[in-house]
Amino acid sequence: MDSTSSGSGSFKIGNGLVEIGALTTLIGSTIAESLVLGNGGSSGLVWGTISAFGSPSVIRACISGASPGWLRAMLGLRSASSDAAVGLQSEFSLYSEAARKVRINLDFPLGISLHSEDGFNMDETLDLVSSTKEHHLCRDIYAFDRPTSRMLDGLPATSPGDPLTVYTNGPYPFFNPHDTRLQVSALALSLIKFSEVYILSTHGGALLALASAVSFIFFFSAATFIEIRDISLSRRAMDEDGRVDLVAGTLPTIKRLGGQKKVVLGATKNPRTSVWWRLIWAFGALLHTISLLTTYFLLGQQTTSLVLIWAGFQLAWLILRIVLYYLSDITVADRIMVGHQWNALQPSMKARVAGLTLAVAKYQTHVHGRDFELYIGDCFSFRQIARLLAEPNLRTSYELPSKFTRANLSVQVNIVAIIGDTTLSSAAWMMGSELSAMELYDSCIVVFSLPSESPPSPPAGSPLAHSPSRSHQRTVAIPAVRVAVGITPETDAEKRAPLFVPRASQSHTRGDIDVLWYYWIPCRSGVWLQIKSDSKRSTVLGEQVATVLDHGQLSTLLGAGKLRISLKDAEEVREVAKLSQQAAEYLLSLLH
């Protein structure tokens, strides 16, 4: 009787889906995953997929490489191989709730990156919509890819209190090393895959041969395309400015102190994060999945002899894959990096460092104890802030007209920008200060537009000399204090007892009925301007009505404990205002 129709005594190895699935899952998984992610060069795309053994890991690796960082982390697709190939980073998206949840569940990031051109394309208007568009240009990094990690490991860190050192690529010609002979030879050797196709098709397994051939042809074509591109790039000197700026180290947040940092301008972008690699991985994952399922189905219908032939080829490809994996390890060249002291930097380089600092500030808003939407009205544009804080705009107090120096009066003000606590703490950290994000939790700078003190007179004989006077505006920036107050229904016990809530333990999520900003701006006459945001919008930008409070009235308001904040009297508010002034000086030194 033929073996294919015999009973339980027949030898049917591999015909069952369970046995095939176990083999393909357990054999060669780690090496296949690393190769298909490009860690062995372009030829790794072919050799990582040439054997069916390890196919589930190949599919997983392709999905991992094609996915954005937050999705990779959420689906559990992150691995040591994916970190070495493409790192793990997440964009600051205002509209991705999933990305924000993943970021909260991840550990502290290792650094922040920003494309250098992004810092120079920031809109100079004060329009809120233009400002918020900048968020998606920044990325927080939870794992550096292998070349970037090696580069950072060789750089000394700047400790808190020390002058900032900024690193750039050395002004020397640099060619990306590429072993063309090895990669081309490995690609040529992979063509022996067609021997499997031929033998399977001549032994009655034409469809099985086709399932193997389609996936191989796709990955071989993709690898050939990448290899041609790599050869072309290796013959040209790399740009001195790689256009990627990054800061790595212990970033400041309300949960931990900022620590050492390494600032690099012009790092080279990882080519495997390009759209071409992502498309190859995305389509390859789909094609390889179809090929694997088809192979599972067809093997269950084949004779034992054909299954053994197929398994023999997969084992042969597996052995060759392992050999080539250890031969085709990518050579990573260490590019010479040059350190620059802050005072010696060109203005354009200082601007890029300022852009990185604001990227750190944006990151803080996504992991802050306050809801990030409260910070949408804050200014995060380097050019806007540099213009608003130009000399002599920064003042220590607001100068009220004499008729408004008494308490309980209302003053009409025009607020053009708010520079928040995350920006101040990030600037202080970048410039070496030991001021923490928690100390600056209630700090801010409020920027006003005021009528000019002395409008310039037109020249005699000018057509404007006899025209009605025109309004001239000036900008005044005042370091101030602000707190976020969640308005919720009070119980009878809460109405009777004052409640003071420590910083960062206050809950200001979207579950609150209303969340308001309270601002207190110090005035030269010793009183305070109090400004509250509207319950329907978190920003105070535009025309606002401010209330004048004296020292005693502010202490009474805070001492009642109805705002549920940490501040208890006007003296504590004054101390926070002093911290805002200190942080403003660090921000000024960063910008000018």
Side-chain angles (χ1 to χ4, degrees):
M1 182 180 293
D2 189 273
S3 62
T4 60
S5 59
S6 62
S8 59
S10 62
F11 184 58
K12 300 288 289 181
I13 184 171
N15 292 56
L17 294 180
V18 175
E19 293 88 345
I20 298 171
L23 281 174
T24 58
T25 301
L26 297 177
I27 301 178
S29 300
T30 304
I31 290 178
E33 180 182 4
S34 181
L35 287 174
V36 80
L37 285 169
N39 290 329
S42 59
S43 62
L45 273 174
V46 180
W47 284 100
T49 58
I50 198 170
S51 173
F53 294 159
S55 289
S57 293
V58 169
I59 296 170
R60 174 190 174 95
C62 287
I63 297 175
S64 176
S67 303
W70 66 266
L71 182 60
R72 191 183 317 141
M74 184 175 68
L75 298 179
L77 298 174
R78 180 184 179 185
S79 66
S81 296
S82 67
D83 284 353
V86 294
L88 181 66
Q89 55 189 0
S90 179
E91 294 183 352
F92 296 164
S93 173
L94 287 173
Y95 311 105
S96 176
E97 182 68 23
R100 288 195 296 273
K101 289 181 177 179
V102 169
R103 179 180 287 110
I104 292 174
N105 293 327
L106 287 170
D107 199 1
F108 293 110
L110 302 179
I112 302 290
S113 70
L114 177 69
H115 196 284
S116 64
E117 291 181 352
D118 298 342
F120 296 113
N121 288 335
M122 294 181 179
D123 197 303
E124 292 191 19
T125 69
L126 290 174
D127 182 72
L128 254 182
V129 176
S130 299
S131 178
T132 57
K133 287 181 180 178
E134 296 172 16
H135 280 260
H136 77 281
L137 304 174
C138 313
R139 298 171 178 86
D140 47 337
I141 304 171
Y142 297 88
F144 288 106
D145 56 64
R146 183 183 174 193
T148 305
S149 182
R150 282 178 57 93
M151 179 264 293
L152 290 172
D153 288 343
L155 300 179
T158 301
S159 299
D162 293 341
L164 179 64
T165 300
V166 178
Y167 296 93
T168 62
N169 293 317
Y172 317 106
F174 180 81
F175 295 85
N176 192 31
H178 182 69
D179 195 337
T180 304
R181 180 178 299 177
L182 175 62
Q183 294 298 324
V184 172
S185 299
L187 283 173
L189 181 61
S190 69
L191 293 174
I192 62 174
K193 174 72 172 179
F194 285 112
S195 64
E196 175 193 343
V197 176
Y198 173 76
I199 292 177
L200 289 177
S201 61
T202 56
H203 284 72
L207 291 178
L208 188 61
L210 181 62
S212 297
V214 170
S215 178
F216 170 77
I217 291 173
F218 168 76
F219 282 104
F220 180 85
S221 301
T224 302
F225 167 76
I226 292 174
E227 180 59 24
I228 293 173
R229 186 173 181 273
D230 287 348
I231 293 174
S232 175
L233 292 176
S234 67
R235 295 179 177 178
R236 301 201 305 262
M238 297 180 66
D239 293 334
E240 183 178 335
D241 186 351
R243 297 295 184 185
V244 176
D245 299 336
L246 59 91
V247 55
T250 306
L251 304 181
T253 69
I254 61 172
K255 296 181 180 180
R256 68 171 181 176
L257 296 173
Q260 293 184 331
K261 53 189 167 291
K262 300 177 183 180
V263 178
V264 178
L265 301 182
T268 303
K269 182 179 179 181
N270 184 352
R272 277 178 279 178
T273 59
S274 67
V275 65
W276 295 110
W277 273 95
R278 292 187 181 276
L279 287 174
I280 289 170
W281 281 323
F283 191 73
L286 176 63
L287 190 62
H288 208 66
T289 300
I290 296 173
S291 175
L292 181 61
L293 294 176
T294 304
T295 300
Y296 278 2
F297 176 76
L298 293 175
L299 282 174
Q301 303 176 1
Q302 305 304 316
T303 64
T304 300
S305 60
L306 187 62
V307 172
L308 289 174
I309 292 173
W310 174 86
F313 274 112
Q314 307 317 306
L315 182 60
W317 307 146
L318 172 64
I319 295 172
L320 284 174
R321 172 199 288 167
I322 295 173
V323 172
L324 287 170
Y325 173 75
Y326 289 104
L327 291 177
S328 62
D329 190 32
I330 297 179
T331 301
V332 180
D334 294 324
R335 194 168 184 176
I336 297 176
M337 306 296 292
V338 178
H340 308 270
Q341 293 300 311
W342 174 256
N343 293 333
L345 285 180
Q346 298 176 356
S348 61
M349 297 175 70
K350 288 186 176 181
R352 289 168 65 165
V353 175
L356 267 179
T357 305
L358 293 171
V360 175
K362 294 174 188 177
Y363 160 73
Q364 286 198 60
T365 66
H366 286 266
V367 294
H368 206 282
R370 298 164 176 156
D371 188 64
F372 88 99
E373 289 187 349
L374 289 173
Y375 286 90
I376 291 180
D378 285 9
C379 180
F380 291 103
S381 168
F382 158 69
R383 290 189 172 182
Q384 291 177 24
I385 295 176
R387 175 167 54 85
L388 293 172
L389 298 187
E391 293 291 347
N393 294 347
L394 187 64
R395 311 284 180 87
T396 58
S397 59
Y398 189 92
E399 186 173 357
L400 279 172
S402 57
K403 63 179 181 179
F404 291 113
T405 56
R406 292 183 293 107
N408 297 323
L409 293 178
S410 296
V411 182
Q412 190 80 17
V413 296
N414 182 21
I415 301 176
V416 295
I418 298 293
I419 302 169
D421 59 290
T422 63
T423 297
L424 293 177
S425 62
S426 299
W429 171 72
M430 185 66 76
M431 299 309 294
S433 170
E434 295 185 0
L435 285 173
S436 68
M438 184 59 73
E439 289 178 288
L440 298 172
Y441 191 86
D442 296 326
S443 298
C444 69
I445 298 176
V446 182
V447 184
F448 297 91
S449 178
L450 301 176
S452 178
E453 295 174 337
S454 54
S457 302
S462 168
L464 297 177
H466 304 288
S467 64
S469 60
R470 299 189 305 169
S471 174
H472 295 268
Q473 300 295 109
R474 59 191 173 98
T475 299
V476 175
I478 311 294
V481 181
R482 71 173 177 180
V483 294
V485 178
I487 308 300
T488 56
E490 292 182 319
T491 63
D492 291 338
E494 289 175 335
K495 290 178 180 179
R496 290 192 299 268
L499 180 62
F500 299 98
V501 182
R503 292 172 179 171
S505 62
Q506 304 149 352
S507 176
H508 301 310
T509 65
R510 277 167 260 179
D512 290 324
I513 294 176
D514 285 315
V515 180
L516 310 179
W517 280 119
Y518 272 70
Y519 288 82
W520 294 297
I521 298 95
C523 299
R524 186 172 299 179
S525 54
V527 297
W528 298 86
L529 282 184
Q530 176 179 276
I531 302 171
K532 293 192 298 183
S533 64
D534 189 275
S535 61
K536 296 181 181 179
R537 54 197 295 262
S538 61
T539 179
V540 294
L541 297 181
E543 297 287 340
Q544 299 289 333
V545 176
T547 303
V548 180
L549 300 179
D550 61 26
H551 203 75
Q553 288 175 316
L554 181 55
S555 292
T556 300
L557 171 67
L558 297 173
K562 301 301 182 183
L563 298 183
R564 302 179 188 178
I565 60 175
S566 63
L567 301 176
K568 300 176 182 178
D569 54 45
E571 196 56 41
E572 291 188 5
V573 175
R574 191 177 303 280
E575 291 301 317
V576 175
K578 291 180 181 178
L579 291 176
S580 297
Q581 294 172 13
Q582 294 178 36
E585 293 299 325
Y586 287 111
L587 180 59
L588 273 180
S589 61
L590 180 71
L591 298 174
H592 302 295

